[in-house]
Amino acid sequence: MSILAVNARNQFRGKVREIIEGPVVSEVDVETPSGLVVTSVITTRSVHELGLQVGRDVVALVKSTEVSIATL
């Protein structure tokens, strides 16, 4: 499936702001042009295979049917 086949509402273009690498999974923060930060937890292997590094242009693709919110 190409990126164009995914609903535009589920795509956030931006730049990698930070990568916190772990031995198995890593957190990748993507900052959109409007300043929104989207965080993804992906395998560290995927970080390397995608060649992710701070400053790289990427598209965060979101596939979710639910977002939970709790009050403090």
CSV table of all heavy atoms in Angstrom, one decimal:
chain,number,residue,atom,x,y,z
A,1,MET,N,0.8,-1.2,0.0
A,1,MET,CA,0.0,0.0,0.0
A,1,MET,C,0.9,1.2,0.0
A,1,MET,O,1.8,1.3,0.8
A,1,MET,CB,-0.9,0.0,1.2
A,1,MET,CG,-1.7,1.3,1.4
A,1,MET,SD,-2.6,1.5,2.9
A,1,MET,CE,-3.4,-0.1,3.2
A,2,SER,N,0.6,2.2,-0.8
A,2,SER,CA,1.4,3.4,-0.9
A,2,SER,C,0.8,4.4,0.1
A,2,SER,O,-0.3,4.3,0.6
A,2,SER,CB,1.3,4.0,-2.3
A,2,SER,OG,0.0,4.6,-2.5
A,3,ILE,N,1.6,5.4,0.4
A,3,ILE,CA,1.2,6.5,1.4
A,3,ILE,C,-0.1,7.2,0.8
A,3,ILE,O,-0.9,7.6,1.6
A,3,ILE,CB,2.3,7.5,1.6
A,3,ILE,CG1,3.4,6.8,2.4
A,3,ILE,CG2,1.8,8.7,2.3
A,3,ILE,CD1,4.6,7.7,2.6
A,4,LEU,N,-0.2,7.3,-0.5
A,4,LEU,CA,-1.3,8.0,-1.1
A,4,LEU,C,-2.6,7.2,-0.9
A,4,LEU,O,-3.7,7.8,-0.9
A,4,LEU,CB,-1.1,8.2,-2.6
A,4,LEU,CG,0.1,9.0,-3.0
A,4,LEU,CD1,0.3,9.1,-4.5
A,4,LEU,CD2,-0.1,10.5,-2.4
A,5,ALA,N,-2.6,5.9,-0.6
A,5,ALA,CA,-3.8,5.1,-0.4
A,5,ALA,C,-4.3,5.3,1.0
A,5,ALA,O,-5.4,4.8,1.3
A,5,ALA,CB,-3.4,3.6,-0.7
A,6,VAL,N,-3.6,6.0,1.9
A,6,VAL,CA,-4.1,6.1,3.3
A,6,VAL,C,-4.8,7.4,3.4
A,6,VAL,O,-4.5,8.4,2.8
A,6,VAL,CB,-2.9,6.1,4.3
A,6,VAL,CG1,-3.3,6.4,5.7
A,6,VAL,CG2,-2.1,4.8,4.1
A,7,ASN,N,-5.9,7.4,4.1
A,7,ASN,CA,-6.7,8.6,4.3
A,7,ASN,C,-5.9,9.8,4.8
A,7,ASN,O,-5.1,9.7,5.7
A,7,ASN,CB,-7.8,8.3,5.3
A,7,ASN,CG,-8.9,9.4,5.4
A,7,ASN,OD1,-8.6,10.6,5.4
A,7,ASN,ND2,-10.1,9.0,5.5
A,8,ALA,N,-6.0,11.0,4.2
A,8,ALA,CA,-5.2,12.1,4.5
A,8,ALA,C,-5.4,12.6,6.0
A,8,ALA,O,-4.4,13.1,6.5
A,8,ALA,CB,-5.6,13.3,3.6
A,9,ARG,N,-6.5,12.3,6.6
A,9,ARG,CA,-6.7,12.6,8.0
A,9,ARG,C,-5.8,11.9,8.9
A,9,ARG,O,-5.5,12.2,10.1
A,9,ARG,CB,-8.1,12.4,8.4
A,9,ARG,CG,-9.1,13.4,7.7
A,9,ARG,CD,-10.5,13.0,8.2
A,9,ARG,NE,-10.8,11.6,7.7
A,9,ARG,CZ,-12.0,11.1,7.7
A,9,ARG,NH1,-13.0,11.8,8.1
A,9,ARG,NH2,-12.1,9.9,7.3
A,10,ASN,N,-5.2,10.8,8.4
A,10,ASN,CA,-4.4,9.9,9.2
A,10,ASN,C,-2.9,10.1,9.0
A,10,ASN,O,-2.1,9.2,9.3
A,10,ASN,CB,-4.8,8.4,9.0
A,10,ASN,CG,-6.3,8.2,9.4
A,10,ASN,OD1,-6.8,8.8,10.2
A,10,ASN,ND2,-6.9,7.3,8.7
A,11,GLN,N,-2.5,11.2,8.3
A,11,GLN,CA,-1.2,11.4,8.0
A,11,GLN,C,-0.7,12.7,8.6
A,11,GLN,O,-1.4,13.7,8.5
A,11,GLN,CB,-1.0,11.5,6.5
A,11,GLN,CG,-1.3,10.3,5.7
A,11,GLN,CD,-1.0,10.5,4.2
A,11,GLN,OE1,-0.2,11.3,3.8
A,11,GLN,NE2,-1.7,9.7,3.4
A,12,PHE,N,0.5,12.7,9.2
A,12,PHE,CA,1.1,13.9,9.8
A,12,PHE,C,2.5,14.0,9.2
A,12,PHE,O,3.4,13.3,9.5
A,12,PHE,CB,1.1,13.8,11.3
A,12,PHE,CG,-0.2,13.7,12.0
A,12,PHE,CD1,-0.8,12.5,12.3
A,12,PHE,CD2,-0.9,14.9,12.3
A,12,PHE,CE1,-2.0,12.4,12.9
A,12,PHE,CE2,-2.2,14.8,12.9
A,12,PHE,CZ,-2.7,13.6,13.2
A,13,ARG,N,2.7,15.0,8.3
A,13,ARG,CA,4.0,15.2,7.8
A,13,ARG,C,4.8,16.1,8.8
A,13,ARG,O,4.3,16.9,9.5
A,13,ARG,CB,3.9,16.0,6.5
A,13,ARG,CG,3.3,15.2,5.4
A,13,ARG,CD,3.2,15.9,4.1
A,13,ARG,NE,2.5,15.2,3.1
A,13,ARG,CZ,3.1,14.2,2.3
A,13,ARG,NH1,4.4,14.0,2.5
A,13,ARG,NH2,2.4,13.6,1.5
A,14,GLY,N,6.1,15.8,8.9
A,14,GLY,CA,6.9,16.5,9.8
A,14,GLY,C,8.3,16.1,9.8
A,14,GLY,O,8.8,15.4,8.8
A,15,LYS,N,9.1,16.5,10.8
A,15,LYS,CA,10.5,16.1,10.9
A,15,LYS,C,10.7,15.4,12.2
A,15,LYS,O,10.1,15.7,13.2
A,15,LYS,CB,11.4,17.4,10.9
A,15,LYS,CG,11.4,18.2,9.6
A,15,LYS,CD,12.4,19.3,9.7
A,15,LYS,CE,12.4,20.1,8.4
A,15,LYS,NZ,13.0,19.4,7.3
A,16,VAL,N,11.6,14.4,12.1
A,16,VAL,CA,12.0,13.7,13.4
A,16,VAL,C,12.6,14.7,14.3
A,16,VAL,O,13.6,15.4,14.0
A,16,VAL,CB,12.9,12.5,13.1
A,16,VAL,CG1,13.4,11.9,14.3
A,16,VAL,CG2,12.3,11.5,12.1
A,17,ARG,N,12.1,14.8,15.5
A,17,ARG,CA,12.6,15.7,16.5
A,17,ARG,C,13.5,15.0,17.5
A,17,ARG,O,14.5,15.6,18.0
A,17,ARG,CB,11.4,16.4,17.2
A,17,ARG,CG,11.8,17.4,18.3
A,17,ARG,CD,10.6,18.1,18.8
A,17,ARG,NE,10.4,17.8,20.2
A,17,ARG,CZ,9.5,18.4,20.9
A,17,ARG,NH1,8.7,19.2,20.4
A,17,ARG,NH2,9.4,18.1,22.2
A,18,GLU,N,13.2,13.8,17.9
A,18,GLU,CA,14.0,13.1,18.8
A,18,GLU,C,13.7,11.6,18.6
A,18,GLU,O,12.7,11.1,18.3
A,18,GLU,CB,13.6,13.5,20.3
A,18,GLU,CG,14.4,12.8,21.3
A,18,GLU,CD,14.0,13.2,22.7
A,18,GLU,OE1,12.9,13.8,22.9
A,18,GLU,OE2,14.7,12.9,23.7
A,19,ILE,N,14.8,10.8,18.9
A,19,ILE,CA,14.7,9.3,18.9
A,19,ILE,C,15.3,8.8,20.2
A,19,ILE,O,16.5,9.2,20.5
A,19,ILE,CB,15.5,8.7,17.7
A,19,ILE,CG1,14.9,9.2,16.4
A,19,ILE,CG2,15.5,7.2,17.8
A,19,ILE,CD1,15.7,8.8,15.2
A,20,ILE,N,14.5,8.1,20.9
A,20,ILE,CA,15.0,7.5,22.2
A,20,ILE,C,15.1,6.0,21.9
A,20,ILE,O,14.1,5.3,21.8
A,20,ILE,CB,14.1,7.8,23.4
A,20,ILE,CG1,14.0,9.3,23.6
A,20,ILE,CG2,14.6,7.1,24.6
A,20,ILE,CD1,13.0,9.7,24.6
A,21,GLU,N,16.3,5.5,21.6
A,21,GLU,CA,16.5,4.1,21.2
A,21,GLU,C,16.6,3.2,22.4
A,21,GLU,O,17.3,3.5,23.4
A,21,GLU,CB,17.8,4.0,20.4
A,21,GLU,CG,17.6,4.2,19.0
A,21,GLU,CD,18.8,3.7,18.1
A,21,GLU,OE1,19.4,2.6,18.5
A,21,GLU,OE2,19.1,4.3,17.1
A,22,GLY,N,15.9,2.1,22.3
A,22,GLY,CA,16.0,1.0,23.3
A,22,GLY,C,16.6,-0.2,22.7
A,22,GLY,O,16.7,-0.2,21.4
A,23,PRO,N,16.8,-1.3,23.4
A,23,PRO,CA,17.4,-2.5,22.8
A,23,PRO,C,16.4,-3.2,21.8
A,23,PRO,O,16.8,-3.8,20.9
A,23,PRO,CB,17.7,-3.4,24.0
A,23,PRO,CG,17.0,-2.8,25.2
A,23,PRO,CD,16.7,-1.3,24.9
A,24,VAL,N,15.1,-3.0,22.1
A,24,VAL,CA,14.1,-3.7,21.2
A,24,VAL,C,13.2,-2.7,20.6
A,24,VAL,O,12.9,-2.8,19.4
A,24,VAL,CB,13.3,-4.7,22.1
A,24,VAL,CG1,12.2,-5.4,21.2
A,24,VAL,CG2,14.2,-5.7,22.7
A,25,VAL,N,12.7,-1.7,21.3
A,25,VAL,CA,11.8,-0.7,20.8
A,25,VAL,C,12.4,0.7,21.0
A,25,VAL,O,13.2,0.9,21.9
A,25,VAL,CB,10.3,-0.8,21.3
A,25,VAL,CG1,9.7,-2.1,20.9
A,25,VAL,CG2,10.3,-0.6,22.8
A,26,SER,N,11.9,1.6,20.2
A,26,SER,CA,12.4,3.0,20.3
A,26,SER,C,11.2,3.9,20.2
A,26,SER,O,10.2,3.6,19.6
A,26,SER,CB,13.4,3.3,19.2
A,26,SER,OG,14.5,2.5,19.2
A,27,GLU,N,11.3,5.1,20.8
A,27,GLU,CA,10.3,6.2,20.7
A,27,GLU,C,10.8,7.2,19.7
A,27,GLU,O,12.0,7.6,19.7
A,27,GLU,CB,10.1,6.9,22.0
A,27,GLU,CG,9.5,6.1,23.1
A,27,GLU,CD,9.2,6.9,24.3
A,27,GLU,OE1,9.0,8.1,24.3
A,27,GLU,OE2,9.4,6.3,25.4
A,28,VAL,N,10.0,7.5,18.7
A,28,VAL,CA,10.3,8.5,17.7
A,28,VAL,C,9.3,9.7,17.8
A,28,VAL,O,8.1,9.5,17.6
A,28,VAL,CB,10.3,7.9,16.3
A,28,VAL,CG1,10.6,8.9,15.2
A,28,VAL,CG2,11.2,6.7,16.2
A,29,ASP,N,9.8,10.9,18.1
A,29,ASP,CA,9.0,12.1,18.1
A,29,ASP,C,9.0,12.7,16.7
A,29,ASP,O,10.1,13.0,16.2
A,29,ASP,CB,9.4,13.0,19.2
A,29,ASP,CG,9.1,12.6,20.6
A,29,ASP,OD1,8.3,11.6,20.7
A,29,ASP,OD2,9.7,13.2,21.5
A,30,VAL,N,7.9,13.0,16.2
A,30,VAL,CA,7.8,13.7,14.9
A,30,VAL,C,7.1,15.0,15.2
A,30,VAL,O,6.0,15.1,15.7
A,30,VAL,CB,7.0,12.9,13.9
A,30,VAL,CG1,6.8,13.7,12.6
A,30,VAL,CG2,7.7,11.6,13.6
A,31,GLU,N,7.7,16.2,14.8
A,31,GLU,CA,7.1,17.5,14.9
A,31,GLU,C,6.5,18.0,13.6
A,31,GLU,O,7.3,18.0,12.6
A,31,GLU,CB,8.1,18.5,15.5
A,31,GLU,CG,7.5,19.8,15.8
A,31,GLU,CD,8.4,20.7,16.6
A,31,GLU,OE1,9.6,20.4,16.8
A,31,GLU,OE2,8.0,21.8,17.0
A,32,THR,N,5.2,18.3,13.6
A,32,THR,CA,4.6,18.8,12.4
A,32,THR,C,4.9,20.3,12.2
A,32,THR,O,5.3,21.0,13.2
A,32,THR,CB,3.1,18.6,12.5
A,32,THR,OG1,2.5,19.5,13.5
A,32,THR,CG2,2.7,17.2,12.7
A,33,PRO,N,4.7,20.8,11.0
A,33,PRO,CA,4.9,22.3,10.8
A,33,PRO,C,4.2,23.2,11.8
A,33,PRO,O,4.6,24.3,12.1
A,33,PRO,CB,4.4,22.5,9.4
A,33,PRO,CG,4.6,21.2,8.7
A,33,PRO,CD,4.3,20.2,9.8
A,34,SER,N,3.0,22.7,12.3
A,34,SER,CA,2.2,23.5,13.3
A,34,SER,C,2.7,23.4,14.7
A,34,SER,O,2.2,24.0,15.6
A,34,SER,CB,0.7,23.2,13.2
A,34,SER,OG,0.5,21.8,13.6
A,35,GLY,N,3.7,22.5,14.9
A,35,GLY,CA,4.2,22.3,16.3
A,35,GLY,C,3.7,21.1,17.0
A,35,GLY,O,4.1,20.8,18.1
A,36,LEU,N,2.7,20.4,16.5
A,36,LEU,CA,2.2,19.2,17.1
A,36,LEU,C,3.3,18.1,17.1
A,36,LEU,O,4.0,18.0,16.1
A,36,LEU,CB,1.0,18.7,16.3
A,36,LEU,CG,0.4,17.4,16.6
A,36,LEU,CD1,-0.4,17.5,18.0
A,36,LEU,CD2,-0.5,16.9,15.5
A,37,VAL,N,3.4,17.5,18.2
A,37,VAL,CA,4.4,16.4,18.3
A,37,VAL,C,3.6,15.0,18.4
A,37,VAL,O,2.8,14.9,19.2
A,37,VAL,CB,5.3,16.5,19.5
A,37,VAL,CG1,6.3,15.3,19.6
A,37,VAL,CG2,6.1,17.8,19.4
A,38,VAL,N,3.9,14.2,17.4
A,38,VAL,CA,3.3,12.8,17.4
A,38,VAL,C,4.5,11.9,17.8
A,38,VAL,O,5.5,11.9,17.2
A,38,VAL,CB,2.8,12.5,16.0
A,38,VAL,CG1,2.3,11.1,15.9
A,38,VAL,CG2,1.8,13.5,15.5
A,39,THR,N,4.2,11.0,18.8
A,39,THR,CA,5.2,10.0,19.2
A,39,THR,C,4.8,8.6,18.8
A,39,THR,O,3.6,8.2,18.9
A,39,THR,CB,5.3,10.1,20.7
A,39,THR,OG1,5.7,11.4,21.1
A,39,THR,CG2,6.4,9.1,21.2
A,40,SER,N,5.7,7.9,18.2
A,40,SER,CA,5.5,6.6,17.8
A,40,SER,C,6.5,5.6,18.5
A,40,SER,O,7.6,6.0,18.7
A,40,SER,CB,5.7,6.4,16.2
A,40,SER,OG,5.5,5.1,15.8
A,41,VAL,N,6.0,4.5,18.9
A,41,VAL,CA,6.9,3.4,19.4
A,41,VAL,C,7.0,2.4,18.4
A,41,VAL,O,6.0,1.7,18.0
A,41,VAL,CB,6.3,2.9,20.7
A,41,VAL,CG1,7.2,1.7,21.3
A,41,VAL,CG2,6.2,4.0,21.8
A,42,ILE,N,8.2,2.2,17.8
A,42,ILE,CA,8.4,1.2,16.8
A,42,ILE,C,9.7,0.4,17.2
A,42,ILE,O,10.4,0.8,18.1
A,42,ILE,CB,8.6,1.9,15.4
A,42,ILE,CG1,9.9,2.8,15.4
A,42,ILE,CG2,7.4,2.6,15.0
A,42,ILE,CD1,10.2,3.3,14.0
A,43,THR,N,9.9,-0.7,16.5
A,43,THR,CA,11.1,-1.5,16.8
A,43,THR,C,12.3,-0.7,16.4
A,43,THR,O,12.4,0.1,15.5
A,43,THR,CB,11.1,-2.8,16.0
A,43,THR,OG1,11.2,-2.6,14.6
A,43,THR,CG2,9.8,-3.6,16.3
A,44,THR,N,13.4,-1.0,17.2
A,44,THR,CA,14.7,-0.3,16.9
A,44,THR,C,15.2,-0.8,15.6
A,44,THR,O,15.8,0.0,14.9
A,44,THR,CB,15.6,-0.7,18.1
A,44,THR,OG1,15.1,-0.2,19.3
A,44,THR,CG2,17.0,0.0,17.9
A,45,ARG,N,14.9,-2.0,15.2
A,45,ARG,CA,15.3,-2.5,13.9
A,45,ARG,C,14.7,-1.6,12.8
A,45,ARG,O,15.3,-1.3,11.8
A,45,ARG,CB,14.9,-3.9,13.7
A,45,ARG,CG,15.2,-4.6,12.4
A,45,ARG,CD,14.8,-6.0,12.4
A,45,ARG,NE,15.2,-6.6,11.1
A,45,ARG,CZ,15.1,-7.9,10.9
A,45,ARG,NH1,14.6,-8.7,11.8
A,45,ARG,NH2,15.5,-8.4,9.7
A,46,SER,N,13.4,-1.2,13.0
A,46,SER,CA,12.7,-0.4,12.0
A,46,SER,C,13.4,1.0,11.9
A,46,SER,O,13.5,1.6,10.8
A,46,SER,CB,11.2,-0.3,12.3
A,46,SER,OG,10.6,-1.5,12.1
A,47,VAL,N,13.8,1.5,13.0
A,47,VAL,CA,14.5,2.8,13.1
A,47,VAL,C,15.7,2.8,12.2
A,47,VAL,O,15.9,3.6,11.3
A,47,VAL,CB,14.9,3.2,14.5
A,47,VAL,CG1,15.8,4.4,14.5
A,47,VAL,CG2,13.7,3.5,15.4
A,48,HIS,N,16.5,1.7,12.3
A,48,HIS,CA,17.7,1.5,11.5
A,48,HIS,C,17.3,1.3,10.0
A,48,HIS,O,18.0,1.9,9.1
A,48,HIS,CB,18.6,0.4,12.0
A,48,HIS,CG,19.1,0.8,13.4
A,48,HIS,ND1,20.0,1.7,13.6
A,48,HIS,CD2,18.7,0.3,14.6
A,48,HIS,CE1,20.3,1.8,14.9
A,48,HIS,NE2,19.5,0.9,15.5
A,49,GLU,N,16.4,0.4,9.7
A,49,GLU,CA,16.0,0.1,8.3
A,49,GLU,C,15.4,1.3,7.6
A,49,GLU,O,15.6,1.4,6.4
A,49,GLU,CB,15.0,-1.1,8.3
A,49,GLU,CG,15.6,-2.4,8.7
A,49,GLU,CD,14.6,-3.6,8.7
A,49,GLU,OE1,13.4,-3.3,8.5
A,49,GLU,OE2,15.1,-4.7,8.9
A,50,LEU,N,14.7,2.2,8.3
A,50,LEU,CA,14.2,3.4,7.7
A,50,LEU,C,15.2,4.5,7.6
A,50,LEU,O,14.9,5.5,7.0
A,50,LEU,CB,12.9,3.8,8.5
A,50,LEU,CG,11.7,3.0,8.4
A,50,LEU,CD1,10.7,3.4,9.4
A,50,LEU,CD2,11.1,3.0,7.0
A,51,GLY,N,16.3,4.3,8.3
A,51,GLY,CA,17.3,5.3,8.3
A,51,GLY,C,16.9,6.6,9.0
A,51,GLY,O,17.3,7.7,8.6
A,52,LEU,N,16.1,6.4,10.0
A,52,LEU,CA,15.6,7.6,10.8
A,52,LEU,C,16.7,8.3,11.5
A,52,LEU,O,17.6,7.6,12.2
A,52,LEU,CB,14.5,7.2,11.7
A,52,LEU,CG,13.2,6.6,11.1
A,52,LEU,CD1,12.2,6.2,12.2
A,52,LEU,CD2,12.7,7.5,10.1
A,53,GLN,N,16.7,9.6,11.5
A,53,GLN,CA,17.6,10.4,12.3
A,53,GLN,C,17.0,11.8,12.5
A,53,GLN,O,16.1,12.2,11.7
A,53,GLN,CB,19.0,10.5,11.6
A,53,GLN,CG,18.9,11.0,10.1
A,53,GLN,CD,20.2,10.9,9.5
A,53,GLN,OE1,21.1,11.6,9.9
A,53,GLN,NE2,20.4,10.1,8.4
A,54,VAL,N,17.4,12.5,13.5
A,54,VAL,CA,16.8,13.8,13.8
A,54,VAL,C,17.0,14.7,12.6
A,54,VAL,O,18.0,14.7,12.0
A,54,VAL,CB,17.5,14.4,15.1
A,54,VAL,CG1,17.1,15.8,15.3
A,54,VAL,CG2,17.3,13.5,16.3
A,55,GLY,N,15.9,15.4,12.3
A,55,GLY,CA,15.8,16.3,11.2
A,55,GLY,C,15.3,15.8,9.9
A,55,GLY,O,15.0,16.5,9.0
A,56,ARG,N,15.2,14.4,9.8
A,56,ARG,CA,14.7,13.8,8.6
A,56,ARG,C,13.2,14.1,8.4
A,56,ARG,O,12.4,14.0,9.3
A,56,ARG,CB,15.0,12.3,8.6
A,56,ARG,CG,14.5,11.6,7.4
A,56,ARG,CD,15.2,10.4,7.1
A,56,ARG,NE,14.8,10.0,5.8
A,56,ARG,CZ,15.0,8.8,5.3
A,56,ARG,NH1,15.8,7.9,6.0
A,56,ARG,NH2,14.6,8.4,4.1
A,57,ASP,N,12.8,14.4,7.2
A,57,ASP,CA,11.4,14.5,6.8
A,57,ASP,C,10.8,13.2,6.8
A,57,ASP,O,11.3,12.2,6.2
A,57,ASP,CB,11.3,15.2,5.5
A,57,ASP,CG,11.6,16.7,5.5
A,57,ASP,OD1,11.3,17.3,6.5
A,57,ASP,OD2,12.2,17.1,4.5
A,58,VAL,N,9.6,13.0,7.4
A,58,VAL,CA,8.9,11.8,7.5
A,58,VAL,C,7.4,12.1,7.4
A,58,VAL,O,6.9,13.2,7.5
A,58,VAL,CB,9.2,11.0,8.8
A,58,VAL,CG1,10.6,10.5,8.8
A,58,VAL,CG2,8.8,11.8,10.0
A,59,VAL,N,6.6,11.0,7.3
A,59,VAL,CA,5.2,11.0,7.4
A,59,VAL,C,4.8,10.1,8.5
A,59,VAL,O,5.1,8.9,8.4
A,59,VAL,CB,4.5,10.7,6.1
A,59,VAL,CG1,2.9,10.7,6.3
A,59,VAL,CG2,4.8,11.6,5.0
A,60,ALA,N,4.1,10.5,9.5
A,60,ALA,CA,3.5,9.6,10.6
A,60,ALA,C,2.2,9.2,10.1
A,60,ALA,O,1.3,10.0,9.9
A,60,ALA,CB,3.4,10.4,11.9
A,61,LEU,N,2.0,7.9,10.0
A,61,LEU,CA,0.7,7.3,9.5
A,61,LEU,C,0.0,6.7,10.8
A,61,LEU,O,0.6,5.9,11.5
A,61,LEU,CB,1.0,6.2,8.5
A,61,LEU,CG,1.8,6.6,7.3
A,61,LEU,CD1,2.2,5.4,6.5
A,61,LEU,CD2,1.0,7.6,6.5
A,62,VAL,N,-1.2,7.2,11.0
A,62,VAL,CA,-1.9,6.8,12.2
A,62,VAL,C,-3.0,5.8,11.8
A,62,VAL,O,-3.9,6.2,11.0
A,62,VAL,CB,-2.5,8.0,13.0
A,62,VAL,CG1,-3.2,7.6,14.2
A,62,VAL,CG2,-1.3,9.0,13.3
A,63,LYS,N,-3.0,4.7,12.5
A,63,LYS,CA,-4.1,3.7,12.2
A,63,LYS,C,-4.7,3.3,13.6
A,63,LYS,O,-4.1,2.6,14.4
A,63,LYS,CB,-3.6,2.4,11.6
A,63,LYS,CG,-4.7,1.4,11.3
A,63,LYS,CD,-4.1,0.2,10.6
A,63,LYS,CE,-5.2,-0.8,10.4
A,63,LYS,NZ,-4.7,-2.1,9.9
A,64,SER,N,-5.8,3.9,13.9
A,64,SER,CA,-6.4,3.7,15.3
A,64,SER,C,-7.9,4.0,15.2
A,64,SER,O,-8.3,4.8,14.5
A,64,SER,CB,-5.7,4.7,16.3
A,64,SER,OG,-6.4,4.5,17.5
A,65,THR,N,-8.6,3.2,15.9
A,65,THR,CA,-10.0,3.4,16.0
A,65,THR,C,-10.4,4.0,17.3
A,65,THR,O,-11.6,4.3,17.6
A,65,THR,CB,-10.8,2.1,15.8
A,65,THR,OG1,-10.3,1.1,16.8
A,65,THR,CG2,-10.5,1.5,14.5
A,66,GLU,N,-9.5,4.2,18.2
A,66,GLU,CA,-9.8,4.7,19.6
A,66,GLU,C,-8.6,5.5,20.2
A,66,GLU,O,-7.5,5.1,20.0
A,66,GLU,CB,-10.1,3.5,20.5
A,66,GLU,CG,-10.4,3.9,21.9
A,66,GLU,CD,-10.7,2.6,22.8
A,66,GLU,OE1,-11.1,1.6,22.3
A,66,GLU,OE2,-10.4,2.8,24.0
A,67,VAL,N,-9.0,6.5,20.8
A,67,VAL,CA,-8.0,7.3,21.6
A,67,VAL,C,-8.6,7.5,22.9
A,67,VAL,O,-9.7,8.0,23.1
A,67,VAL,CB,-7.7,8.7,20.9
A,67,VAL,CG1,-6.8,9.5,21.8
A,67,VAL,CG2,-7.1,8.5,19.5
A,68,SER,N,-7.9,7.1,24.0
A,68,SER,CA,-8.4,7.2,25.3
A,68,SER,C,-7.9,8.4,26.0
A,68,SER,O,-6.7,8.7,25.8
A,68,SER,CB,-8.1,5.9,26.1
A,68,SER,OG,-8.6,4.8,25.6
A,69,ILE,N,-8.7,9.1,26.8
A,69,ILE,CA,-8.3,10.2,27.5
A,69,ILE,C,-8.9,10.1,29.0
A,69,ILE,O,-10.0,9.7,29.2
A,69,ILE,CB,-8.9,11.5,26.9
A,69,ILE,CG1,-8.3,11.7,25.5
A,69,ILE,CG2,-8.5,12.8,27.8
A,69,ILE,CD1,-8.9,12.9,24.7
A,70,ALA,N,-8.0,10.4,29.9
A,70,ALA,CA,-8.4,10.4,31.3
A,70,ALA,C,-8.3,11.7,32.0
A,70,ALA,O,-7.4,12.5,31.5
A,70,ALA,CB,-7.6,9.3,32.1
A,71,THR,N,-9.1,12.1,32.9
A,71,THR,CA,-8.9,13.3,33.6
A,71,THR,C,-8.0,13.2,34.8
A,71,THR,O,-7.8,12.1,35.3
A,71,THR,CB,-10.3,13.9,34.1
A,71,THR,OG1,-10.9,12.9,35.0
A,71,THR,CG2,-11.2,14.1,32.9
A,72,LEU,N,-7.4,14.3,35.3
A,72,LEU,CA,-6.5,14.3,36.4
A,72,LEU,C,-7.3,14.6,37.7
A,72,LEU,O,-8.2,15.3,37.7
A,72,LEU,CB,-5.4,15.2,36.2
A,72,LEU,CG,-4.5,14.9,35.0
A,72,LEU,CD1,-3.4,16.0,34.8
A,72,LEU,CD2,-3.8,13.5,35.2
